[in-house]
Structures are given as C-alpha cells and as structure tokens.
Amino acid sequence: MRTHLTAAIPVDDWQQIDTTALPVEHPSRVRGHDSWCGPADLVARFGRDAAHGECFYGFRLGLRCDLDSRLVRAWEITRAAADERTVAADLLDGVVPPAGLLPDRGFTGRAFATGQTARGTHVVLAPFRAQPHTDPPARLHAIAMCATGSKPPTVRSQTTSD
C-alpha cells in the first residue's frame, strides 16, 4: 500500500541518504550470541554510532528520502558495522539517479563521490567544523538550502553594468 501511495508523488530531484543505529539491546546486557534475528537471516551485532559517540548492539537502518517532501523513498536494515557507502549504493541501485544528493559525513570518500558523479548525481557534503571559513559563500548557501529542505538555487554569474 505504501508503495502505491508514494508512486503517485513525483520523486524530488534532490535526495538525502543517511544511516542510523537500530539498537535492540543494551550492550552491557549482551552475553554472547542471542536470538535477535532480522530480515534475510540478519543477526544483531555490535556497531558504532558516530552521531552519539557510543557502541550499540543491533542493526543499522539506511534511509533515502526526498529533500523537498521528506518522503522516505527506500529503506534497508543491514548489519550494525556496515559501511555506509555500501548501504547508499544499495539504496540508489536500480533507481533513476537524483540530480543532487546530500549525505552526511559517513559518506565521505572520493570513490563514492566519483561513482555518483558518473551516474549524473551531484554530491554535496556539509563542511567540517573547521571548513566553513574556507568554503565560498555560494556553496555554503546551497548546503544551507539543502539542510532546510529547499532546493538549492542555481548560481548565476553577476555582471557589472556601466
């Protein structure tokens, strides 16, 4: 039913990909293998949640969402210590490449960006903490527009008139 309803809404040109921890049990309570099983014989394991700076026991949830409508277009449950770039490749496989992609810092890497550029997708990464002062204002404005859910404007060159 969800697939039928989302098919009626056009896909946004700009999309966002992220993963998050999906803990099933506190790490201190895990004593060897247990019975937490996910889809396709996936078994809960330990992973690292960089956003909160802690370890967790469970799975990892990957999401691909439209930036404009915030509609979830694809999701995947994977092992806890999965590489986020592999999850992103799975979420983008078999769909029309979006014009732009706003991933988080876990997707940093030349191989990922090069692969997406070859598909025709422009990857925009948010700057590091020390980086905002070195980025051009047009790029920072585009990132801010993506973060608020608005489509980034096209950058026009300014000409001076006499």
Side-chain angles (χ1 to χ4, degrees):
M1 172 122 179
R2 181 191 164 286
T3 306
H4 177 69
L5 293 174
T6 58
I9 301 171
V11 178
D12 192 18
D13 291 333
W14 281 80
Q15 296 189 348
Q16 182 176 10
I17 289 188
D18 200 1
T19 63
T20 186
L22 195 61
V24 295
E25 192 171 359
H26 193 276
S28 66
R29 297 188 178 272
V30 178
R31 303 283 187 254
H33 296 291
D34 59 9
S35 61
W36 283 101
C37 295
D41 297 328
L42 191 64
V43 180
R45 294 285 183 251
F46 285 98
R48 171 114 173 107
D49 184 9
H52 297 101
E54 60 188 18
C55 291
F56 70 96
Y57 184 78
F59 307 100
R60 188 168 292 280
L61 174 66
L63 296 169
R64 179 174 54 89
C65 306
D66 287 345
L67 271 180
D68 193 25
S69 65
R70 305 283 181 176
L71 186 66
V72 175
R73 292 293 177 175
W75 60 274
E76 176 182 355
I77 296 177
T78 186
R79 57 189 179 84
D83 183 16
E84 290 186 323
R85 291 169 288 231
T86 306
V87 175
D90 291 345
L91 292 172
L92 291 167
D93 190 32
V95 298
V96 176
L101 189 64
L102 181 67
D104 70 348
R105 281 281 154 217
F107 298 91
T108 307
R110 289 184 189 209
F112 177 74
T114 303
Q116 293 307 311
T117 303
R119 294 182 69 208
T121 301
H122 180 68
V123 178
V124 177
L125 290 171
F128 288 105
R129 287 189 181 124
Q131 197 176 8
H133 303 293
T134 61
D135 280 346
R139 181 173 186 268
L140 293 176
H141 181 68
I143 293 169
M145 295 297 288
C146 289
T148 59
S150 304
K151 293 181 184 177
T154 55
V155 179
R156 298 179 184 154
S157 62
Q158 296 178 352
T159 58
T160 59
S161 59
D162 293 281

